[in-house]
Amino acid sequence: MVSQLLTLVQWCSNSAPIVFIRDSKYGMPGAQSVHLVGLTVFLAAILVLDLRLAGIGMMDWSLDGLERQLKPWATGAVALVLLSGVLIFLGTPSKYLASNPFRIKMAALGLATVFHVGVVRRFVTGQPAARPRWSEIAVAAVSLTLWFLVGWAGRAIAFVP
Amino acid sequence: MSLFGWCQWLEHTPAALAIAESTWLFPLIEGSHILALPLSVGMIVIFDLRLLGLAFHSDPASRLMKEVLRWSKSGFAITFITGVLLFMTHAGKAYGNAFFRAKLLLLALLGINAVVYQTIFYPKMAEWDLASRTPLGARLCAGLSLIAWIGVIVCGRTMAYQF
């Protein structure tokens, strides 16, 4: 199973579009740039939601109102981040597969996603008054910590083996 | 001393060398520079989308602006300070780099754009605060801001590949 997956990754990595991006002068900087533009918008949406949840920002808006307004943009941004992320990964898969920060990044990404879908979303769509305030602050803090851990671990790939 | 000479001098000051040679300092400063983006640029983008009628449609634009600026100010403080420190460590190489020059030019343009918005459109915001369709000039400012900020990120990321 794992070896088949690795064969597939290797095949993708040697496919014409990836080779083109890898070998062209601005291919990888371009993919990295798209990755950053996407994360700027996506993490801003997360930040706005968590600030509101913690009760320290955007207090003129309701949580579900904020989510409604930001969701299309956050979704588009996630698409950009994932697409560029896959391209960057396939550019040099061996580098990422051997990287400890990359493993931490993927684990944090998984945790952040599960926490967002399983916990944050319930707080966003639920009854605001029914919960103690400390639980909202805690949820916002965990959410921000997990998402920014994804970012920091990503940045660490360039510096830590 | 020429500007290039000054950049080379800056790169060799004890402070610049200390950052460049430190195992943790440079990654920490660079990481902060990038991960402050959602707080600085991301918040501005949200307001640009409101002005363009693409999000927060008929919510009061002035309240969104006040709230968004409150957070983006601290974001820009981090971005600016870390940006200056990063420049110090690579000043000589950055000086002649086309992407770095383009980035500075775009930042200057964004500064002018912000001043234009503050002096021409901000004082009259009460007139169209709840309108989803904002004045053409305000939309132009927002569109320029959106495009130029994307340009800043692209130039910033690309220049690092050339050092």
Side-chain angles (χ1 to χ4, degrees):
Chain A
M1 177 65 187
V2 173
S3 77
Q4 279 163 323
L5 212 59
L6 282 176
T7 311
L8 178 69
V9 165
Q10 202 149 48
W11 180 82
C12 289
S13 167
N14 292 321
S15 66
I18 298 296
V19 171
F20 175 75
I21 292 171
R22 184 169 46 220
D23 291 349
S24 61
K25 192 177 176 191
Y26 294 113
M28 277 303 147
Q32 289 275 3
S33 297
V34 172
H35 205 60
L36 288 191
V37 170
L39 83 80
T40 298
V41 175
F42 175 68
L43 289 182
I46 292 285
L47 201 59
V48 163
L49 221 53
D50 285 335
L51 289 175
R52 175 65 185 85
L53 190 57
I56 52 174
M58 308 297 290
M59 295 307 283
D60 291 339
W61 283 267
S62 67
L63 266 171
D64 57 337
L66 283 175
E67 169 167 282
R68 231 184 358 262
Q69 296 297 335
L70 294 169
K71 198 169 190 178
W73 296 98
T75 309
V78 164
L80 287 182
V81 175
L82 287 180
L83 182 71
S84 56
V86 168
L87 291 179
I88 294 164
F89 172 78
L90 289 175
T92 38
S94 55
K95 170 185 160 186
Y96 293 100
L97 289 172
S99 158
N100 287 311
F102 180 74
R103 287 177 200 151
I104 295 171
K105 178 177 180 171
M106 289 303 115
L109 178 61
L111 282 177
T113 307
V114 168
F115 190 75
H116 187 82
V117 174
V119 182
V120 177
R121 275 199 57 88
R122 266 172 222 194
F123 275 70
V124 168
T125 51
Q127 284 296 318
R131 294 178 302 261
R133 213 170 106 67
W134 66 264
S135 68
E136 299 186 334
I137 295 172
V139 166
V142 171
S143 165
L144 280 181
T145 306
L146 285 174
W147 285 115
F148 276 85
L149 178 61
V150 176
W152 276 103
R155 198 74 281 272
I157 295 169
F159 297 100
V160 185
Chain B
M1 198 195 287
S2 68
L3 191 55
F4 180 55
W6 180 78
C7 286
Q8 283 184 317
W9 168 81
L10 189 65
E11 198 178 310
H12 293 95
T13 53
L17 289 173
I19 295 168
E21 285 163 10
S22 156
T23 314
W24 290 105
L25 223 45
F26 186 81
L28 214 60
I29 294 169
E30 201 192 39
S32 305
H33 190 65
I34 290 172
L35 288 168
L37 277 174
L39 190 58
S40 53
V41 177
M43 288 288 176
I44 298 292
V45 166
I46 289 175
F47 183 59
D48 288 339
L49 292 175
R50 165 67 180 92
L51 287 182
L52 289 167
L54 297 171
F56 293 95
H57 305 281
S58 43
D59 295 4
S62 59
R63 262 151 77 187
L64 186 64
M65 180 178 170
K66 204 178 136 209
E67 187 64 26
V68 155
L69 284 185
R70 178 158 81 93
W71 294 99
S72 78
K73 269 178 202 158
S74 39
F76 279 118
I78 300 170
T79 316
F80 180 75
I81 294 167
T82 52
V84 169
L85 294 174
L86 289 175
F87 171 72
M88 283 174 66
T89 64
H90 290 86
K93 276 169 241 153
Y95 174 82
N97 186 279
F99 287 97
F100 177 69
R101 292 184 171 191
K103 181 177 177 175
L104 285 192
L105 220 61
L106 286 169
L107 286 172
L109 192 68
L110 282 158
I112 296 168
N113 188 48
V115 170
V116 166
Y117 185 84
Q118 286 287 347
T119 50
I120 300 177
F121 301 103
Y122 176 70
K124 289 182 179 169
M125 273 181 86
E127 291 168 22
W128 46 268
D129 212 19
L130 296 169
S132 65
R133 195 171 173 79
T134 61
L136 178 65
R139 271 178 281 148
L140 286 176
C141 280
L144 180 71
S145 162
L146 211 54
I147 292 167
W149 277 121
I150 291 173
V152 167
I153 295 175
V154 171
C155 288
R157 189 64 192 91
T158 306
M159 67 186 260
Y161 274 82
Q162 306 185 335
F163 288 169

